[in-house]
Amino acid sequence: MATLLQPEKVLYLVRGEKKIRVPLSQLYFCRYCSELRSLECVSHEVDSHFCPSCLENMPSAEAKLKKNRCANCFDCPCCMHTLSTRATNIPAPLPDDPTKTTMKKAYYLACGFCRWTSRDVGMADKSVASGGWQEPENPHTQRINKLIEYYQQLAQREKLERDRKKLARRRPFMPQAFSEKYGLGTRLQRQRSGAPISALYGLSLKEGEDQKEITIEPAQALDEVEPLPEDYYTRPVNLPEVTTLRQRLLQPDFQPAGASQLHPRHKHLLMKRSLRCRKCEHNLSKPEFNPTSIKFKIQLVAVSYIPEVRIMSIPNLRHMKESQVLLTLTNPVENITHVSLYTCEEEDPDDINSTAKVLVPSKELVLAGKDAAAEYDELAEPQGFQDDPDVVTFRKSNKIGFFIKVIPQREEGDVTVAFKLRHDFRNLAAPIRNTEEVEATSEAIWLTHHVELSLGPLAT
Amino acid sequence: PQETGAVVCVESDIRGDVTIGARTVVHPKARIIAEAGPIVIGEGNLIEEQALIINSFPENILPDAEDIEPKTMSIGFNNVFEVGCVSQALKIGDNNVIESKAEVGRSVILSSGCIVGACCAVNTCEVIPENTVIYGSECLRRVQTERPQPQTLQLDFLMKILPNYHHLKKTVKASSTPARS
């Protein structure tokens, strides 16, 4: 029975750049455009960075400097779990008197899951609890930095030349403030379809500084390659010593082949993102800044605006025989909603997946508003809706159960049906266009959604 | 039957011919069942709640068959059997740790310093080399450079505290017939 509640059974169609069919719980609703939006038709922006284990917030500039890694926390190179610092007491000679020994604390890193310790790779115990651990240096850092500087300068020069060639005077572009973060993130930069190196331009020097000529030496090709050791083919492989591909690629600087060279790395930061509708540029989802808080400042999710259809029970479905499927409709808003269902027409371009005919109730269904206090009110009065008992089976606060008739058209395979759901939506957030008209209730607009249900296989 | 020095709670379920060494702690609800042969447990072991150490008949051999010799299961010292683990291995060395809900089959021989991670089931027919760690949902393995530390602090603490809250099984002399004490 619980399998019928799985969200993938009921899909809503989103008419964006691409037509996507997604469960309602994964959709957002832009109440300014009055349309459903999925994750693919919104723009994602980075809000803040935080470390998943110490939950420390980090401003974006600092995150970029530290290559998006936390300063305090480490990952186990073996199983990628978070490392914890453990202490042991070791006897150490006193500085004044070398003959006496006293207990000093020594700290090492250990993984609770795979029991890896920092002593396994030969890292000595440190005398401070945090801050003593260093990542090994990449031998090629200097060369890479030089190359990056050279190419940044080249990109900047090319961009100046391109701008000079343009005849129309563009308004001052303000590159610095926007290009600080991730080049193609903001909408101003997205509209330019420029040369491929424009992404690097975002990281470049300020225009006012004098530009030194940076020259690089070209890479030198070597004729001789180090030969393989003689016993390369005959030496037996020590399996526990060989690193897995995943362990190796997590450290792209070194990619060690042996497990005794796997050093721990600082933990990656996670980020909170905010979503923005691409058409009207309003925010759809904005999380709170505090990493420990899971709430949202703005949360325009579809389940709080659109009535949700769920499958309650499916009888045995037989080929070309009509059966009744019980569905429920839940009203998420606080005012009464009127819902009507329509079957898809013959040549509906959205209706590509259905393998059965469906007959939906022709009358309009009325859903009561969601009343948060209703569950505590034991003496609730009956709601006074006249329901056709052939169509509506039960009614409970803001939810009703109703029947649809399904006639599977194919002999084999899963049964999928589709229909249109039309409901009225009162936009409480829309700005008042005409300040002269003072209306107490806002206008209702009718929205239509295409819903697909997957009812499972035919009964054998 | 146990030697002096072991702490065995009354609520633990010990059946058959079981010998428990000194300084070993057997928690309540632990089960040590010697069905197909005696079990000899060494010193300094820690057997936690709901752990099951069983010397049972292999599945495809009937208990009434005549040429079955009782095989002794021997467990070394300083081992830790964490909560809910199942151990059927016939030979376990020293300083091993079998973590919670792990299962060790009958044909496995644990040498020294091995760690069988939580929820890992090891059913192969092999000798696990020293200082091996088996971890993860796919029972990956790696070798660590040092063996796990013996839980002396924990054992001392338990030997002091457990008698305050539980009755202990009394020692039975080794010469008497094996029976539930």
Side-chain angles (χ1 to χ4, degrees), chain B residues 57-107:
Chain B
F57 296 104
E59 281 175 19
N60 49 359
I61 301 179
L62 296 170
D64 298 325
E66 286 159 3
D67 28 320
I68 296 299
E69 285 179 22
K71 286 195 195 155
T72 311
M73 176 188 279
S74 62
I75 299 182
F77 52 87
N78 282 335
N79 297 302
V80 176
F81 295 84
E82 286 191 13
V83 175
C85 71
V86 175
S87 165
Q88 302 188 20
L90 279 179
K91 193 165 170 351
I92 299 184
D94 320 315
N95 285 311
N96 299 302
V97 176
I98 304 185
E99 286 187 6
S100 305
K101 296 221 172 190
E103 291 182 10
V104 182
R106 191 173 168 84
S107 347

Side-chain angles (χ1 to χ4, degrees), chain A residues 78 113-115 119-120 240, chain B residues 99 115 133 135 142-143 145:
Chain A
C78 195
F113 186 60
C114 67
R115 310 253 180 164
R119 295 170 177 164
D120 282 353
Chain B
E99 286 187 6
I115 300 184
V133 178
Y135 67 96
R142 46 170 290 273
V143 178
T145 47

